[in-house]
């Protein structure tokens, strides 16, 4: 048995006991300059491992076994490529080192599964790197500035831990499966000098969980993310050159080395005792992680991707295979990955008749690197389109479905997915998560229904996938007349813009059997039809009702909110409570061709809310009348219409009976408003109490009643502050988006327990303060007093 064998012991992690196994007696030291030079020399001598020298330095600095890395890189007559791990993926061969690396030398990379989410901090731009026409096993991440980098890393760690954490498992057994990593050049738009690091492309949850273990059992996702950022970049990292011209990368590396040295000293003290505690386990189990570091990439003959894209495409292919066979991404994330990779391949293959520069613009818009506001500059012509999210969707659909491009995209998508056939519905499914990028967070309540509609064909009608050109305009109703006259450009523009608006606002969804039985107020439809068929029928030149429905929907569409047609009564009440209500109502209205403004109104002149029933009916009125002839339409006379805003805000989820009984709901809404109005009073009272407390005297002794009065005000102020914080969280929720919950479920569970306990204690105090009068008890007390008990 070795003199210093690994130790195992039990520690408390929160409310559970964890058996920590295989704690090493010492932590590995940081590589010395001589070790780094050894790895750099071996790497540069390997003809199949192509990296810049500073990238090799980053690899050597990160590893805890530089001698082993040098051995894997060293070439021999028997092994001309060394002992590198070899992976053959679609179109390329990857070569990697297998080693152990310091936790503090790893940055989380871009996560493909977040491509279908709206992120608060945008991803950096990704660029491939070549050396004399050969692909290097490295990419360039271009950030806006150092703050962008810090915020992006914080967001990734925080968002990952908010969704999932392996912290107890990592504490017990360390990270046991290799992380897939590779070098990255970190560059900046503001002129900050670049530097090289290793990033994790697969295993980000394991990486984030290691930071969570190091942060401790009481730390939340935010604290763990802050610890990671401060450890990687320093608490006050600056891009200003240091005296003596020390590069930024060297300063950051020195800071990480100093941080590791402090951890080593702390571990030595904690591990020296007979029974090590939790802190020793936290450091020992997270100090190093197993990693597979890609250092070489070689394109296969006949694979025509550009050299700068070979490595990134190969890494993405590895990730896709892992997350399809082992731990699947959700369908939307897979669709984003397939669509963007297919488009990138078409760009590099050069087989499409569309110029590469134009396709690069399409790719930039599709992945969000080109903002919506830049759209007018991206479109040539005398009449540029408005820089709006809806017009972005129109041009994306137009560009991605051109006959000269569509077949190539479908072929590449089939190759990536491994399928043999892809129809229009399959291609539309890929477009859904690309189209909804600008409004995902604001319309997240109906994202599932919208993507289901894209899976059912979306707006890809038979005309849209043929030759046409968008007609830019500020007013979509101006396109109705030319569309009725047979203008294909106007018809297709209305079909795409109006169809996208109806789908995004849950006024056109995938028709299922149950929808035929549901009333129109509940999302019912007069007949079943695919979504793209409904859009096609709405946009026919002879269908005036359908064209006006599309035009008005496109005109009223907003990317920063949901229409009240698509919001349930519960969500409306919630919006009123949180104040998240716009000044002007956002509602889609039914079309009346006989009205001057084409908006249908009831007997009181109140606009009638549009339902999916009306949309589907307008697509094919003759078919709808056959399915629901007047003699068979036994519908009772409509309930007395509401007046004013109540009619405009009626939810599609409310049936006639529910609207009839809306009195209590309205009263409840008033009660909510009154409760909301009461909040400032409570806050003011608490503030006043706080002022009284601040002006108090520092007497050595105060009666308990005085101290109780002070604590009473603290209690009231704290409860009010909690209410205010919750309201602010609800307001921030749409901005955070769907990539991470605004408050993780474990935190909500803990808060719920605390609130239940607080409610119980308050109720106990209330009962003691106002005891119930019991005449029988009073008689017993009187009798006891009389006999002197």
């Amino acid at each position: 048995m070795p003199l210093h064998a690994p130790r195992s012991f039990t520690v408390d992690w929160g409310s559970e006991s964890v058996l920590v196994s295989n704690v090493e007696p010492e932590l590995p030291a940081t590589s010395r300059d001589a070790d780094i030079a050894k790895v750099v020399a071996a790497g540069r001598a390997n003809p199949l491992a192509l990296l810049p020298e500073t990238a090799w330095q980053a690899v050597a600095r990160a590893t805890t076994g530089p001698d082993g890395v040098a051995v894997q890189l060293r070439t021999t007559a028997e092994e001309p490529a060394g002992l590198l791990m070899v992976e053959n993926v679609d179109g390329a061969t990857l070569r990697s080192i297998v080693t152990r690396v310091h936790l503090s030398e790893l940055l989380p990379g871009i996560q493909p599964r977040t491509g279908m989410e709206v992120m608060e901090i945008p991803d950096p731009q990704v660029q491939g790197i070549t050396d004399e026409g050969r692909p290097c096993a490295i990419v360039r991440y271009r950030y806006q500035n150092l703050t962008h980098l810090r915020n992006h890393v914080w967001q990734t760690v925080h968002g990952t831990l908010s969704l999932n954490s392996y912290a107890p498992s990592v504490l017990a057994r360390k990270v046991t499966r290799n992380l897939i990593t590779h070098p990255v050049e970190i560059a900046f738009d503001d002129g900050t000098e670049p530097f090289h690091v290793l990033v994790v492309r697969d295993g980000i949850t394991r990486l984030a969980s290691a930071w969570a273990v190091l942060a401790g059992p009481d730390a939340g996702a935010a604290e763990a993310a802050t610890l990671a950022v401060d450890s990687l970049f320093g608490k006050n990292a600056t891009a200003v050159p240091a005296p003596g011209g020390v590069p930024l990368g060297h300063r950051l590396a020195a800071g990480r080395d100093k941080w590791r040295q402090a951890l080593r000293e702390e571990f030595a003290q904690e591990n020296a005792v007979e029974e090590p505690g939790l802190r020793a386990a936290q450091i020992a189990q997270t100090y190093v992680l197993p990693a597979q570091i890609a250092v070489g990439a070689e394109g296969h003959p006949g694979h025509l991707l550009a050299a700068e894209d070979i490595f990134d495409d190969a890494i993405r292919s590895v990730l896709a295979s892992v997350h399809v066979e082992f731990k699947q991404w959700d369908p939307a994330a897979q669709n984003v990955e397939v669509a963007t990779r297919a488009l990138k391949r078409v760009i590099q293959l050069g087989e499409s008749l569309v110029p590469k520069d134009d396709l690069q613009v399409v790719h930039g818009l599709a992945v969000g690197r080109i903002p919506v506001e830049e759209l007018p500059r991206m479109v040539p012509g005398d009449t540029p389109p408005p820089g709006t999210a809806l017009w972005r969707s129109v041009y994306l659909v137009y560009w991605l479905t051109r006959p000269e491009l569509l077949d190539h995209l479908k072929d590449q998508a089939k190759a990536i997915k491994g399928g043999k056939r892809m129809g229009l519905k399959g291609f539309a499914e890929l477009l859904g998560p690309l189209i909804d990028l600008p409004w995902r967070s604001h319309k997240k309540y109906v994202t599932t229904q919208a993507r289901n509609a894209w899976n059912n064909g979306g707006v890809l009608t038979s005309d849209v996938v043929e030759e046409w050109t968008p007609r830019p305009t500020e007013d979509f109703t101006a396109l109705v007349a030319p569309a009725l006259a047979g203008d294909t450009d106007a018809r297709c523009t209305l079909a795409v813009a109006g169809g996208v608006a109806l789908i995004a606002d849950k006024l056109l969804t995938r028709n299922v059997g149950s929808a035929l039985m549901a009333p129109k107020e509940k999302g019912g439809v007069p007949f079943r039809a695919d979504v793209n068929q409904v859009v096609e029928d709405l946009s026919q030149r002879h269908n005036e009702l359908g064209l006006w429905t599309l035009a008005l929907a496109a005109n009223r569409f907003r990317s920063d909110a949901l229409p009240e047609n698509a919001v349930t009564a519960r969500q409306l009440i919630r919006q009123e409570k949180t104040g998240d209500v716009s000044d002007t109502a956002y509602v889609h209205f039914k079309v009346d061709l006989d009205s001057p403004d084409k908006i249908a109104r009831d007997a009181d002149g109140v606009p009638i809310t549009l339902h999916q029933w009306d949309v589907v009916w307008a697509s094919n009125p003759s078919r709808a009348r056959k399915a629901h002839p007047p003699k068979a339409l036994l519908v009772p006379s409509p309930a007395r219409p509401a007046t004013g805003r109540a009619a405009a805000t009626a939810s599609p989820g409310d049936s006639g009976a529910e609207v009839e009984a809306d009195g209590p709901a309205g009263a409840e809404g008033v009660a909510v408003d009154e409760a909301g109005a009461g909040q400032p009073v409570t806050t003011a009272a608490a503030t006043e109490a706080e002022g009284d407390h601040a002006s108090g005297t520092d007497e050595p002794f105060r009666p308990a009643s005085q101290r109780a009065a002070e604590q009473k005000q603290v209690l009231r102020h704290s409860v009010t502050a909690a209410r205010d914080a919750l309201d602010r969280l609800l307001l921030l929720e749409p901005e955070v988006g769907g990539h991470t919950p605004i408050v993780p479920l474990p935190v909500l569970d803990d808060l719920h327990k605390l609130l239940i306990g607080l409610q119980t204690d308050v109720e106990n105090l209330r009962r003691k303060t106002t005891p119930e009068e019991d005449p029988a008890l009073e008689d017993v007390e009187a009798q006891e007093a009389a006999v002197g008990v």
Side-chain angles (χ1 to χ4, degrees):
M1 180 178 293
L3 182 60
H4 298 290
R7 306 171 69 175
S8 297
F9 48 88
T10 301
V11 297
D12 292 332
W13 180 261
S15 60
E16 58 181 309
S17 295
V18 176
L19 176 60
V20 180
S21 59
N22 291 322
V23 175
E24 299 292 340
E26 294 183 358
L27 299 179
T30 301
S31 299
R32 297 168 299 178
D33 291 344
D35 298 324
I36 293 176
K38 187 185 304 182
V39 172
V40 172
R44 294 185 67 83
N46 191 311
L48 298 180
L50 188 58
L51 288 176
E53 182 172 344
T54 47
W56 281 119
Q57 293 174 358
V59 172
R61 190 168 51 242
T63 183
T64 61
D67 289 338
V69 170
V71 168
Q72 293 180 61
L73 288 167
R74 191 171 298 124
T75 61
T76 64
E78 295 78 12
E79 297 289 346
L83 299 176
L84 300 176
M85 175 182 174
V86 178
E87 286 182 286
N88 287 305
V89 297
D90 186 16
T93 297
L94 283 176
R95 289 180 169 82
S96 305
I97 296 166
V98 178
T99 183
R100 295 199 306 167
V101 296
H102 294 285
L103 168 68
S104 55
E105 292 293 334
L106 295 174
L107 270 64
I110 296 176
Q111 304 178 86
R113 62 182 173 86
T114 62
M116 47 77 67
E117 297 287 359
V118 170
M119 311 298 288
E120 298 166 90
I121 308 302
D123 284 339
Q125 294 186 11
V126 181
Q127 301 169 331
I129 297 177
T130 61
D131 183 3
E132 297 181 352
R134 295 177 57 199
C136 295
I138 184 174
V139 295
R140 178 182 294 115
Y141 282 3
R142 180 169 291 279
Y143 291 89
Q144 299 166 9
N145 47 42
L146 193 57
T147 300
H148 182 197
L149 168 62
R150 293 174 64 98
N151 290 339
H152 188 263
V153 172
W154 190 97
Q155 172 183 262
T156 304
V157 176
H158 174 262
T160 301
L161 292 176
S162 298
L163 295 174
N164 195 13
S165 175
Y166 305 144
S169 174
V170 172
L171 178 64
R173 296 178 292 275
K174 301 182 181 178
V175 173
T176 57
R177 192 158 54 90
N178 289 343
L179 310 179
I180 297 177
T181 70
H182 63 77
V184 160
E185 178 188 340
I186 304 293
F188 302 95
D189 291 333
D190 67 348
T192 300
E193 56 184 322
F195 58 91
H196 288 80
V197 294
L198 291 186
V199 302
V200 177
R201 293 296 295 273
D202 181 66
I204 293 178
T205 302
R206 283 165 273 157
L207 175 71
S209 298
W211 284 111
V213 169
L214 198 57
D218 298 327
E223 290 83 356
T226 301
L227 173 64
V229 170
D230 290 345
S231 304
L232 291 168
F233 309 114
K235 292 186 177 180
N236 299 304
T238 175
V240 178
V246 179
L248 174 61
H250 290 181
R251 282 182 280 139
L252 292 177
R256 296 192 296 271
D257 189 21
K258 184 178 180 181
W259 179 81
R260 286 195 297 271
Q261 182 60 32
L263 274 189
R264 284 169 53 83
E265 294 173 358
E266 184 180 4
F267 174 76
Q269 295 176 359
E270 294 284 340
N271 199 42
V273 299
E274 183 177 352
E275 287 292 334
L278 174 61
R279 186 59 181 166
Q282 289 174 258
I283 299 173
Q285 304 299 76
T286 61
Y287 194 77
V288 296
L289 307 175
Q292 169 186 329
I293 308 174
V295 295
E298 183 180 7
H300 292 165
H303 195 78
L304 301 180
L305 273 180
E308 60 266 22
D309 288 315
I310 287 177
F311 174 68
D312 188 52
D313 187 77
I315 285 288
R316 291 171 68 175
S317 180
V318 171
L319 301 186
S321 64
V322 169
H323 287 280
V324 169
E325 299 170 3
F326 174 67
K327 186 177 181 182
Q328 293 191 2
W329 294 320
D330 60 53
Q334 295 185 39
N335 289 337
V336 169
E337 182 73 358
V338 170
T340 54
R341 286 182 64 199
L343 180 56
K344 194 69 176 178
R345 287 188 178 188
V346 170
I347 294 173
Q348 299 301 339
L349 289 173
E351 296 178 352
S352 171
L353 298 178
V354 182
K356 283 190 175 183
D357 290 343
D358 293 345
L359 290 179
Q360 292 287 9
V361 171
V362 178
H363 185 269
L365 278 173
V367 300
R369 292 178 191 156
I370 298 178
V372 171
E373 296 76 13
E374 296 294 321
L375 178 64
R377 295 197 308 106
M378 301 295 110
V379 179
D382 298 333
T383 309
T388 65
L390 187 59
W391 274 108
R392 168 190 176 274
S393 69
V394 171
Y395 274 89
L396 270 184
V397 171
Y398 166 68
W399 283 326
L400 295 175
T401 58
R402 294 304 82 233
E404 60 270 25
L405 180 62
L406 180 60
D407 288 339
H408 296 294
L409 282 175
K410 288 166 63 177
D411 289 342
Q412 293 303 323
K414 285 187 296 184
I416 294 171
K417 295 186 71 172
K420 296 181 179 180
R421 182 179 180 276
M422 177 173 288
L424 279 182
K425 288 184 180 179
F427 187 73
E429 181 180 2
L430 302 181
L431 297 185
L434 299 180
I435 296 299
D436 65 17
L437 177 63
W439 55 75
R440 285 178 193 157
S441 60
H442 299 287
K443 300 179 188 287
K444 62 182 179 182
Y445 295 117
V446 299
T447 298
T448 299
Q449 293 89 337
R451 288 180 176 167
N452 285 340
W454 280 98
N455 298 352
N456 194 229
V459 299
L460 301 193
T461 70
S462 58
D463 292 327
V464 166
V465 297
E466 297 298 333
E467 292 291 347
W468 64 284
T469 303
R471 291 275 299 271
T473 179
E474 296 283 352
D475 181 7
F476 286 97
T477 61
L479 300 179
V480 174
L484 290 170
D487 188 327
T488 301
D489 294 344
R491 288 196 307 104
C492 290
T493 302
L494 287 176
V496 176
V500 167
L502 292 170
I503 290 173
D505 287 341
K506 208 182 78 170
L507 289 170
L508 184 54
T509 63
R510 180 183 60 185
N511 286 349
V512 293
S514 58
L516 293 174
M517 307 299 295
K520 65 181 296 184
E521 296 83 1
K522 297 288 187 179
V525 293
F527 56 84
R528 290 191 63 179
D530 291 337
V531 172
N532 59 337
Q533 186 60 53
V534 173
V535 175
E536 180 167 340
D537 291 341
L538 286 170
S539 60
Q540 293 299 316
R541 62 173 296 185
H542 62 270
N543 190 349
E544 184 178 5
L545 178 62
L547 290 169
W548 275 105
T549 299
L550 293 169
L552 291 180
N555 263 7
R556 295 193 65 83
F557 180 80
R558 284 171 49 182
S559 61
D560 60 349
L562 259 181
E564 294 174 1
N565 312 60
V567 182
T568 64
R570 178 180 297 179
Q571 291 164 351
L572 281 175
I573 293 174
R574 178 181 177 182
Q575 288 177 349
E576 292 173 1
K577 289 178 67 176
T578 59
D580 190 18
V581 181
S582 60
D583 296 333
T584 58
Y586 173 25
V587 190
H588 291 287
F589 298 121
K590 185 179 178 181
V591 174
D592 180 4
L593 295 178
D594 296 327
S595 173
D597 58 0
K598 306 302 180 184
I599 295 177
R601 289 174 169 80
D602 60 18
D604 293 334
V606 177
I608 300 175
T609 302
L610 182 70
H611 296 290
Q612 182 173 208
W613 179 287
D614 305 313
V615 175
V616 177
W617 186 289
S619 69
N620 197 332
S622 60
R623 181 180 175 185
R625 281 190 292 267
K626 290 180 180 178
H628 299 272
K631 62 180 180 179
L633 191 61
L634 301 176
V635 178
S637 58
R640 179 178 57 83
T643 59
R645 178 174 169 79
T649 60
S651 168
D654 298 328
S655 64
E658 289 169 329
V659 174
E660 182 73 14
D662 198 45
E668 182 180 352
V670 172
V672 169
D673 291 341
E674 290 175 355
Q679 292 294 336
V681 177
T682 305
T683 305
T687 305
E688 182 181 355
E690 184 182 22
D692 293 341
H693 169 55
S695 62
T697 59
D698 296 330
E699 298 178 358
F701 171 77
R702 287 181 297 161
S705 58
Q706 293 182 15
R707 286 176 282 157
E710 176 183 309
Q711 294 305 314
K712 177 188 67 177
Q713 300 299 340
V714 172
L715 174 63
R716 185 170 185 175
H717 182 268
S718 300
V719 172
T720 303
R723 174 72 264 178
D724 294 341
L726 183 58
D727 287 342
R728 287 192 291 271
L729 282 171
L730 292 174
L731 288 172
L732 288 170
E733 186 177 13
E735 298 181 31
V736 172
H739 62 89
T740 173
I742 187 72
V743 182
L745 183 59
V747 176
L748 288 176
D749 290 340
D750 292 340
L751 287 174
H752 189 258
K753 292 177 182 178
L754 290 173
L755 291 173
I756 291 297
L758 178 63
Q759 182 184 17
T760 302
D761 293 341
V762 170
E763 180 63 19
N764 290 337
L765 285 174
R766 188 186 71 83
R767 290 179 177 178
K768 290 180 180 180
T769 305
T770 58
E772 297 181 0
E773 297 182 359
D774 189 344
L777 180 60
E778 292 179 355
D779 292 341
V780 171
E781 292 174 347
Q783 293 173 7
E784 291 174 345
V787 298
V789 175

